[in-house]
Amino acid sequence: MQPQPFENPIMVTRPFLPPLEEFTEGVKEIWESHWLTNNGPVLRRFEHILSNYFETDNLCLFNNGTLALQIGLQGMGISGEVITTPFTFVATSHALYWNKIRPVFVDIEPDYYTLDPAAVEAAITPWTTAILAVHVYGFPCKLNALADIARRHKLVLIYDAAHAFGVTVGERPISHFGDMSMFSFHATKLFHSIEGGMLTFRDSGLKSTFDYLKNFGFENELEVVMPGTNAKMNEMQALMGILVLRHLDNLIERSRKIDATYRQCLKDVPGIQFTPPLPKEVGYNYIYEPVEIIEEEFGMSRDALYDHLKEYNIFTRRYFYPLLCDFPCYRNVAFKDPLRVAREVSKRILCLPIYADLVSDDVTRICEVIGCLQSGSVKRGVEKIA
Ligand code: T4K
């Protein structure tokens, strides 16, 4: 039997929303206090809860992850060249650009798509000040190798951990590694505060700098100690964050089951390649479901599959294609690495729908559609989807 399109679109993700009563209860408190932003009581509570969760006081909340990273780089005084990955969301290198730092793009490793330490080391110059690595899809970077390079070359090690909330390594939160990590709490993330971001950092002296930078540099009513910007998280965001956090373990467990279903249902479909099992010491968050489509085996390119799935109301995403260095704003940035792995992966990668509310039957149905498209048992490309 031919698979039928879904009645309603299945998007790559859908934000988890806590029970409405929990949110309205919290909103009532905000209404009564008339305190909406600027370091309010709900934000302070959220910060306290996160301090316990991440086992550190060295954290600072922001209104989104991009500004958190921009401010983090500025507050740490990073300048010159920073070695980074082209296989990430544009915000990673935009944060460098806004600080007038030159991104030096180097290749990724083929298993989990994080920075290749050997490529990092090969790209170091006298102008290099830092490494900006990304725990892409929540997969931990090569933590020991990068730490070793940073130590030997006296470089700052910064992690874009936008995808990595809830990830642990050896039972320690991923924030434990590197000099600074940025987490995104955007609605599309497993853990979110509608919009939001957070920095965690090793040097406790940075806290006041980040607090100034996100609030115009105000020390008090009359004194501005540095030219800051406005990157404050508001009370509604903090409330959502507190509520979503209560459900996080359950969200991760549901996503883990979805991942297991995909792996089971697609295991015999030629040309679909999943990432290998993670090392035992990693507690993963199952935030994305990336697969590589090997055209020669699958019988169809990644892009063709992406288009055909839309005909079935299934909206996957090509995170992260094109590579950042191919966007017009980065085309003039000079770097030497041929980016062999990154170019190949970005042509093959496809992120399948995954979110806690996605029911198992729908995952099976998505897999059936993919299987039928592969085997050619359904018509492909009846009409071209724009
Ligand atoms: N570094 C990395 C590595 C990142 O991935 C990101 C953000 C950042 C830094 C910056 O952090 P933030 O400044 O964003 O905190 C999305 C997100 O907007 C972005 O946060 C995320 N990475 C990126 C990977 O994905 P788009 O352009 O793909 O989002 P959009 O609007 O197409 O949403 C994707 C799907 O989610 C939609 O098809 C439907 C669903 N959706 C989305 C929203 C916003 C919903 O169902 N409800 C919603 O409210 O960028």
Side-chain angles (χ1 to χ4, degrees), residues 53-56 58 135 143-144 147 157 159 161 164 167-183 198 200-203:
Y53 184 86
F54 283 92
E55 300 162 5
T56 178
N58 294 348
H135 302 305
L143 302 166
N144 293 338
L157 180 54
Y159 285 114
V167 174
T168 54
V169 179
E171 313 235 320
R172 280 181 301 203
I174 191 94
S175 56
H176 178 84
F177 301 88
D179 296 302
M180 181 174 75
S181 299
M182 179 281 285
F183 294 82
M198 179 178 74
T200 57
F201 36 90
R202 194 179 296 284
D203 174 3

Side-chain angles (χ1 to χ4, degrees), residues 11-15 63-67 69 88-92 134-136 160-163 182-189 195-197 288 315 317 319-320:
M11 310 309 279
V12 68
T13 188
R14 190 162 74 155
N63 59 353
N64 61 58
T66 306
L67 280 169
L69 187 55
T88 175
F89 189 60
V90 283
T92 310
V134 180
H135 302 305
V136 67
D160 177 334
H163 305 167
M182 179 281 285
F183 294 82
S184 164
F185 301 170
H186 185 262
T188 53
K189 303 291 182 291
E195 292 258 10
Y288 290 99
F315 294 86
R317 288 299 280 266
Y319 295 133
F320 291 99

Side-chain angles (χ1 to χ4, degrees), residues 137-148:
Y137 310 129
F139 297 138
C141 291
K142 303 284 176 214
L143 302 166
N144 293 338
L146 291 179
D148 181 53

